[in-house]
Amino acid sequence: MASIDNLAQVALAEQEFGLLDHLLKTAESAPPRAEGAPMLIELADLSLSLSEAVQRQGLQTERAYRFYQSTPTLGLKSVLKASLPTLLTDALLDLGQRLTNEAKIERGARITPRAQAQSELEARLDEQERELRERYLERTVTLLSQTLAAASAKDARAALVSGCGTAFLLAERQMRYGNDRIAEAAATTGLAHVAKVLGDDDVSSEDKFSVADRLPLLVLRCIAERRLPMVEKAGPQLVGSLAHLAGLEDKALPDLLAVMTLGHVVAEMDGEPRFREAMLSGISNVLGFARKIKDAAEKSPFKRYMSIEDDTRYHHHFMPLMGEIRQHPERMVSGPGRGFNLEPDHGSVFVRKLGRDGGSYTGFNDAVELFVEALIPPDDEDGSGTDG
């Protein structure tokens, strides 16, 4: 299978899509027959490397344009001599044939200006590039889905760990590129199998974290970009998984607090509680969870809800929100220095806190503190009530 991966990369680099299709057909038929985890892991790796190569490389159209600009005619001999990828060669030959036929009909006169002919070539290749990207990205997700299904059927734990991590990484990257449909398909594929990984006592804690570490990046991006359907689909699974892992090791707690806090802040800023509800639905005992977090913070040396290191790590996820706040002048007036003063009737507790603090944002820790305390009813701050 490693040879298929290598050949697929070569086929993409050389833009030989016929060879790539043949290789993918071979790979897509392999999961049901695969024996053991190594081949399945390689298939998962192939799906990720293929998606990256398709996104990054596309068609080498500049080579075709340079050739057209430097060549007076598009005859068969001259085009073949250029040694261009097959798809580009076909496009140039088709254009050359049309111009040749045009010249014959018009007794040697050139009707289509050269610049217009190149525009037609560019339009054709642009359309083919869009079709290729969509087709191969869809096949990437299909290959990954088949791989995970085969790994699950064979209880190939290492392959499930690798495949789920790949699915979430692929989803986050495709969302970054604006390919929302592919991102959702990849995320759905991973979510269909991640519970089996995280709930398997035979999967090491390290492997569980290797999968869980990929999911927060995806959910944080979904929240910040207001992709509510994806948040509602992935958020509860993420929070439930991180809550489970936090019970095993404390290092899962910062991720858990980060995604839940961002969901809470976006919910109250936008007046859309479903961002917050999606996060909370992954916790079975929300009040008990909030009390434990608050109690741990009060016992910490600096009374912090999040360490300075984790505060710094997640701080940049709040930067887009700070930009949004500054884009609403009807709710704020400029303050001294770099800060700003907010009108006191702003609907967000988080934003009002910024105003009370003179407009300076002091860190992710403050937002986590507001979030946790928002979960604890005012009449139950001492923890005397029963856990819900």
Side-chain angles (χ1 to χ4, degrees):
M1 190 53 60
S3 62
I4 290 183
D5 191 357
N6 293 336
L7 287 171
Q9 294 295 329
V10 172
L12 267 173
E14 297 297 324
Q15 308 275 280
E16 294 299 339
F17 298 103
L19 173 58
L20 181 59
D21 286 339
H22 176 73
L23 293 169
L24 285 178
K25 186 176 181 180
T26 301
E28 287 163 353
S29 65
R33 303 195 310 266
E35 295 296 331
M39 183 178 291
L40 294 171
I41 292 173
E42 288 166 5
L43 281 167
D45 292 341
L46 169 61
S47 66
L48 182 61
S49 62
L50 176 65
S51 71
E52 285 295 287
V54 168
Q55 188 66 51
R56 185 174 58 253
Q57 294 175 5
L59 284 176
Q60 299 172 6
T61 51
E62 287 301 321
R63 293 177 62 187
Y65 303 151
R66 287 196 302 269
F67 175 79
Y68 178 69
Q69 292 164 359
S70 64
T71 306
T73 61
L74 295 175
L76 177 62
K77 185 180 294 185
S78 63
V79 173
L80 294 179
K81 189 176 180 180
S83 298
L84 294 168
T86 301
L87 191 147
L88 301 182
T89 297
D90 290 346
L92 287 167
L93 288 175
D94 286 348
L95 178 60
Q97 186 61 55
R98 187 177 72 76
L99 295 176
T100 298
N101 293 340
E102 181 182 276
K104 288 179 180 179
I105 295 172
E106 300 298 330
R107 299 174 182 268
R110 185 183 183 95
I111 302 302
T112 303
R114 193 171 183 83
Q116 180 182 331
Q118 178 166 336
S119 295
E120 292 176 5
L121 176 65
E122 291 174 355
R124 170 175 172 167
L125 292 177
D126 285 348
E127 178 62 27
Q128 286 180 319
E129 183 168 35
R130 284 192 293 272
E131 291 175 356
L132 283 168
R133 286 184 190 277
E134 184 171 342
R135 174 155 59 95
Y136 285 117
L137 287 171
E138 286 179 349
R139 292 186 75 170
T140 291
V141 177
T142 297
L143 176 60
L144 186 57
S145 178
Q146 291 177 337
T147 302
L148 278 167
S152 179
K154 295 174 178 297
D155 286 327
R157 294 182 178 87
L160 277 172
V161 169
S162 175
C164 286
T166 294
F168 299 138
L169 183 59
L170 173 60
E172 195 275 331
R173 287 181 179 177
Q174 290 306 310
M175 187 170 292
R176 192 188 314 160
Y177 295 137
N179 298 327
D180 292 355
R181 187 171 60 82
I182 298 298
E184 182 171 358
T188 300
T189 295
L191 290 169
H193 298 278
V194 71
K196 184 170 183 177
V197 173
L198 299 178
D200 191 337
D201 292 337
D202 291 327
V203 175
S204 69
S205 176
E206 182 179 357
D207 282 344
K208 289 180 180 180
F209 275 103
S210 73
V211 174
D213 280 350
R214 297 281 175 86
L215 202 44
L217 292 177
L218 172 63
V219 177
L220 285 166
R221 181 174 292 277
C222 289
I223 294 172
E225 296 182 6
R226 308 305 203 274
R227 301 172 188 268
L228 184 57
M230 281 286 286
V231 171
E232 291 186 316
K233 179 178 291 188
Q237 176 69 70
L238 168 64
V239 170
S241 300
L242 291 175
H244 171 72
L245 293 175
L248 303 176
E249 297 186 33
D250 289 342
K251 68 179 182 179
L253 193 56
D255 284 339
L256 180 60
L257 289 176
V259 294
M260 295 184 76
T261 296
L262 193 59
H264 172 75
V265 171
V266 166
E268 67 160 20
M269 282 181 59
D270 291 8
E272 176 48 89
R274 288 162 65 189
F275 283 102
R276 181 173 182 269
E277 291 166 0
M279 300 295 103
L280 294 180
S281 66
I283 298 288
S284 59
N285 183 352
V286 174
L287 182 56
F289 164 79
R291 287 193 192 128
K292 289 177 182 177
I293 298 301
K294 184 174 183 180
D295 183 60
E298 291 175 347
K299 292 179 180 178
S300 66
F302 301 103
K303 309 295 183 186
R304 292 183 62 88
Y305 284 73
M306 186 169 283
S307 71
I308 294 176
E309 179 183 6
D310 290 322
D311 190 322
T312 302
R313 183 157 61 102
Y314 291 109
H315 180 79
H316 71 280
H317 288 289
F318 261 148
M319 291 302 96
L321 296 184
M322 299 305 294
E324 290 175 23
I325 293 170
R326 290 182 169 87
Q327 291 171 7
H328 290 76
E330 73 279 3
R331 288 186 171 181
M332 65 186 69
V333 293
S334 297
R338 294 182 301 168
F340 54 85
N341 296 320
L342 299 172
E343 294 181 3
D345 61 347
H346 194 289
S348 166
V349 175
F350 171 69
V351 175
R352 291 202 301 271
K353 175 173 171 51
L354 293 181
R356 290 197 302 272
D357 291 344
S360 62
Y361 177 52
T362 56
F364 203 95
N365 183 72
D366 298 319
V368 176
E369 181 180 358
L370 285 173
F371 162 62
V372 172
E373 294 188 347
L375 300 180
I376 301 176
D379 59 350
D380 199 21
E381 289 184 348
D382 60 356
S384 59
T386 60
D387 289 353

